[in-house]
Amino acid sequence: QVQLVESGGGLVQAGGSLRLSCAASGRTFSSYTMGWFCQAPGKEREFVAAISYSGGRTRYADSVKGRFTISRDNAKNTVYLQMNSLKPEDTAVYYCAAQDPAIVGVTTTPRYFNYWGQGTQVTVSS
């Protein structure tokens, strides 16, 4: 069982930055691939970024490549999402999630992540 708590969301102007954090409970955090997803009103949950259990492999949605960076600190049981050059279309609730350990590799599909946080709101004003 993994419990995830996101923080760091807020209101920022276009072009600004935010850093999201996701704190995980449990001693097995370092064995999970972790991901960030977002969901805007009226839209489906979308993949943003993911990082392998060791941090050696990352994947990004095309829409955030070059602007967002995912990282993790296994000693602190925390995964981060650094968000730079934010755009109004980045406005959404952002969720962190832990990938099912039975799935090999780093996936981008929400149904392969079986632990989710409660989400943190990110609002980017124009």
Side-chain angles (χ1 to χ4, degrees):
Q1 188 82 10
V2 178
Q3 292 184 325
L4 304 171
V5 179
E6 303 96 334
S7 61
L11 173 64
V12 64
Q13 288 188 334
S17 298
L18 284 173
R19 188 175 84 152
L20 306 184
S21 299
C22 174
S25 65
R27 293 175 290 178
T28 59
F29 171 77
S30 60
S31 65
Y32 285 91
T33 289
M34 299 297 296
W36 285 96
F37 295 79
C38 69
Q39 188 167 18
K43 294 188 175 182
E44 294 188 353
R45 195 164 294 188
E46 298 180 346
F47 170 75
V48 176
I51 187 167
S52 63
Y53 65 93
S54 66
R57 186 182 178 198
T58 57
R59 296 184 68 176
Y60 295 92
D62 288 343
S63 59
V64 306
K65 283 180 181 177
R67 299 190 299 123
F68 291 8
T69 303
I70 188 171
S71 62
R72 67 189 297 161
D73 185 337
N74 285 341
K76 295 182 178 180
N77 279 14
T78 302
V79 61
Y80 305 97
L81 185 67
Q82 179 66 44
M83 310 166 70
N84 298 330
S85 302
L86 281 160
K87 305 175 181 180
E89 51 264 44
D90 295 320
T91 295
V93 177
Y94 283 73
Y95 300 88
C96 73
Q99 184 176 301
D100 186 339
I103 303 298
V104 176
V106 178
T107 67
T108 64
T109 306
R111 69 174 181 270
Y112 293 141
F113 288 75
N114 53 4
Y115 297 110
W116 293 83
Q118 83 289 350
T120 186
Q121 176 71 47
V122 171
T123 303
V124 185
S125 63
S126 57

